[in-house]
Amino acid sequence: MEIDERIDWIAQKYNYNTELREALKRCIPIMIENKSNPEIELLMKTLERVEIIDFNSKPTKQQLDEVENRKLNGKNKHVLFGTKDKGEYGKEVALGAYHSIPIFDENMNIVERVGYIHLTRLAENSQAAKAYQSTINLSHLIHELGHAWSSQKAEYIQRENGDFTINIGMSTTNCKVNKENHTVTEDDVKGLFIEEALNTLEEENTLKKLLAIDSVNQIPGYVPSEYQGLMKGVIESFVQNIGQLPFSKAKILKDYTDLEKYQEILESTDATKNLNSKGWNEQKKESFSKVQELEGVPDEMKAEIQDFFGKYKHVFFKTEQDGHFFEKLDNVLEQLFDFNFIKYNFNILESEKNREIYLEILKKITIEAYAPLNEAKEEIENYNKKKNEILINHLAKQALETRSERKRTKRFYFSNRRKNK
């Protein structure tokens, strides 16, 4: 069945309106460009599994609860869920999101899952709607489909004791299950910000192809998310140097084998070793403390900045020095995400000194990503060349073997013909 035909079938299944159906037909072919057949099939299965629900205005929590209750249809009434505080992430109802709920039996075994996406329509006469030629917010549609797509494979993995892992692309959430009390509690979350940054990069690339533009900033009325700017720029540098394929395999297929080699290269750099030292944290704290020197900033705003850094000291000044490189990269992205919520207190437009303090703090954060990458670039490039040579040789050998097999088959065919005569 062709892609458009499958989308028509899915649209009929969920009673989508014409505008949403046509938006999917425009976005999906671009999203699957350069993807493998297994990846493409996972996206189509995602569309079949995950209903897209669009609202005319940003939904309230109550409205989303009503959607969830309808989707659950009486299931999970015996389960009590507890969520982990993710800081500034997800504090408010978003304009769009991918939702997923595991369904438990009476013994607290996961037996199925329910997934849906909610979107908020654009105002009919808005600049973005005119640019998209649709009131469907294509930016949000692509982004949330990206999360759902990367959740299609191995989203929930449950262990014998009942505890389980939620895998949404590069994000992994560990959950504790109390079978006696029927409670589920989030334990720890890793990779959340890498997932968001990668998803945003894919979103931008898809939009640029769809609208034939060089930058999403060319879209009239486009509202960037918190993941754009520095967060997206950092992950884009890693994708450009390492390659898109290892990230795509990890995100969608849950195959980390390619990415692990690059992780080894990055972890072996002197920059990574230096950034893991206590001395680096002290240097960083010294730069952050300079907020006291901000000019033209009221004392209460300076205190607000300091309180913010204190509240999230486990993010900005991690004391744990173990963990793999991409876990640390996720921490850098989380720092950038959180910093967005306090950066306007620096009043950088009114003072050059304030701007210097602001940039010094940002540099201390971003250097934790860029210093290891810059040092590892040459080794990564050499590794990629070697890997490509091996691939080319393998394909050439495969082609020769196929050609030889055809010749043997042909000789066998003519030999049999002569015998039959």
Side-chain angles (χ1 to χ4, degrees), residues 36-74:
S36 64
N37 288 333
E39 288 173 306
I40 294 170
E41 187 55 30
L42 283 173
L43 178 55
M44 300 317 296
K45 291 291 186 185
T46 300
L47 290 170
E48 292 173 13
R49 176 179 66 88
V50 178
E51 182 180 4
I52 301 169
I53 300 162
D54 62 296
F55 294 86
N56 290 325
S57 57
K58 188 168 95 166
T60 63
K61 185 180 182 304
Q62 182 181 351
Q63 285 176 300
L64 292 179
D65 286 344
E66 288 171 0
V67 171
E68 187 169 307
N69 289 335
R70 174 177 67 81
K71 297 291 290 182
L72 290 174
N73 193 25

Side-chain angles (χ1 to χ4, degrees), residues 49 115 143 161 186 197 199 208 266 269 293 323 330 346 390:
R49 176 179 66 88
H143 188 91
N161 66 354
E186 287 184 4
N199 213 42
K208 287 190 289 187
L266 289 158
T269 61
E293 303 172 23
D330 186 64
F346 281 74
I390 292 170

Side-chain angles (χ1 to χ4, degrees), residues 85-272:
D85 182 5
K86 299 182 181 72
E88 298 301 314
Y89 181 88
K91 277 191 171 180
E92 297 182 6
V93 173
L95 292 168
Y98 166 64
H99 307 260
S100 183
I101 309 109
I103 306 300
F104 295 88
D105 65 13
E106 290 299 324
N107 298 315
M108 294 302 288
N109 297 310
I110 298 174
V111 291
E112 58 177 301
R113 57 179 168 166
V114 166
Y116 68 94
I117 286 170
H118 90 259
L119 300 173
T120 304
R121 282 181 177 267
L122 298 164
E124 192 170 351
N125 295 319
S126 66
Q127 289 181 307
K130 291 175 183 176
Y132 291 153
Q133 298 179 356
S134 175
T135 62
I136 302 296
N137 192 327
L138 301 184
S139 168
H140 292 176
L141 175 63
I142 294 163
H143 188 91
E144 302 312 331
L145 275 176
H147 284 316
W149 183 9
S150 64
S151 305
Q152 182 61 26
K153 184 172 183 177
E155 184 173 21
Y156 293 100
I157 298 178
Q158 191 169 31
R159 294 176 282 283
E160 287 186 13
N161 66 354
D163 296 347
F164 63 96
T165 301
I166 309 171
N167 298 298
I168 298 179
M170 301 288 286
S171 170
T172 300
T173 303
N174 289 311
C175 295
K176 298 283 188 182
V177 172
N178 186 313
K179 292 187 175 184
E180 292 182 4
N181 297 331
H182 290 179
T183 58
V184 176
T185 309
E186 287 184 4
D187 187 25
D188 65 83
V189 183
K190 294 178 180 177
L192 176 62
F193 296 91
I194 288 183
E195 168 64 16
E196 290 292 2
L198 279 172
N199 213 42
T200 298
L201 183 59
E202 288 282 328
E203 169 200 333
E204 286 196 10
N205 289 338
T206 301
L207 277 176
K208 287 190 289 187
K209 290 178 184 177
L210 178 65
L211 303 176
I213 55 177
D214 297 321
S215 167
V216 292
N217 296 325
Q218 295 173 245
I219 302 172
Y222 180 81
V223 180
S225 70
E226 296 91 345
Y227 313 125
Q228 283 158 302
L230 288 172
M231 276 185 72
K232 192 265 302 185
V234 167
I235 204 68
E236 189 171 27
S237 297
F238 280 84
V239 172
Q240 286 173 346
N241 282 276
I242 290 173
Q244 190 268 340
L245 186 59
F247 287 100
S248 182
K249 286 174 70 176
K251 183 172 165 27
I252 298 174
L253 299 177
K254 306 298 187 293
D255 181 355
Y256 289 83
T257 50
D258 285 0
L259 211 52
E260 283 170 357
K261 177 57 184 177
Y262 297 100
Q263 182 158 262
E264 289 174 15
I265 294 172
L266 289 158
E267 285 176 352
S268 67
T269 61
D270 290 334
T272 297

